[in-house]
Amino acid sequence: MLLLLLGIVHLVATPHIAALIRHSASTGAADNLIPPMLLNHILVGVLLLPLGFLTFYAAPYSDRWAQVIVRTTALTVATLPLTLLALMGLRYFDAPLFVVGFLLVVTASVTLLLAAFSRPRTTDSADTAHS
């Protein structure tokens, strides 16, 4: 669910970032910077939605396909907090939406890792199909 929420926050933040660029850069620079930012933010926000849904859908199952989805997602998301800090540093932590997004990424990382690699799952899709 946190990945779905992160996708929504990402999309909600997009117009705020565009406004920030418009106010912080010259008109010509803003005209050059906003389109790639919009492409990136919309693309990532939209892709987080099905990723979150698939992970949420697979989470209760112990089948191999579900473990692959959940564990791959967990390991990938776990790289994000350190990657963000390494590439962006601390300079954006005065922006509330950035802090919310970063905290959601950290929370999603920890939650996904715990869920994906802790206790064995007990619900198989075969069990639910026969119920």
Side-chain angles (χ1 to χ4, degrees):
M1 293 306 295
L2 290 172
L3 291 174
L4 289 167
L5 183 58
L6 186 59
I8 292 166
V9 168
H10 209 80
L11 292 171
V12 167
T14 301
H16 297 284
I17 296 170
L20 178 67
I21 292 172
R22 276 191 204 95
H23 289 79
S24 301
S26 68
T27 302
D31 289 344
N32 288 329
L33 294 171
I34 290 174
M37 181 281 303
L38 289 173
L39 173 65
N40 178 60
H41 256 256
I42 292 169
L43 186 76
V44 170
V46 168
L47 289 175
L48 279 166
L49 299 176
L51 180 65
F53 172 76
L54 286 173
T55 305
F56 183 74
Y57 179 80
Y61 297 101
S62 62
D63 294 351
R64 191 78 181 126
W65 67 266
Q67 287 182 358
V68 168
I69 289 172
V70 173
R71 289 179 176 172
T72 301
T73 302
L75 291 171
T76 303
V77 172
T79 67
L80 294 176
L82 290 176
T83 303
L84 284 170
L85 286 173
L87 295 175
M88 300 182 78
L90 300 175
R91 66 183 170 266
Y92 297 103
F93 279 88
D94 59 344
L97 282 174
F98 182 83
V99 173
V100 168
F102 184 80
L103 291 176
L104 279 171
V105 169
V106 170
T107 304
S109 298
V110 172
T111 303
L112 281 167
L113 287 171
L114 289 173
F117 293 101
S118 62
R119 63 182 169 78
R121 299 159 196 248
T122 57
T123 305
D124 289 324
S125 61
D127 292 341
T128 57
H130 293 101
S131 300

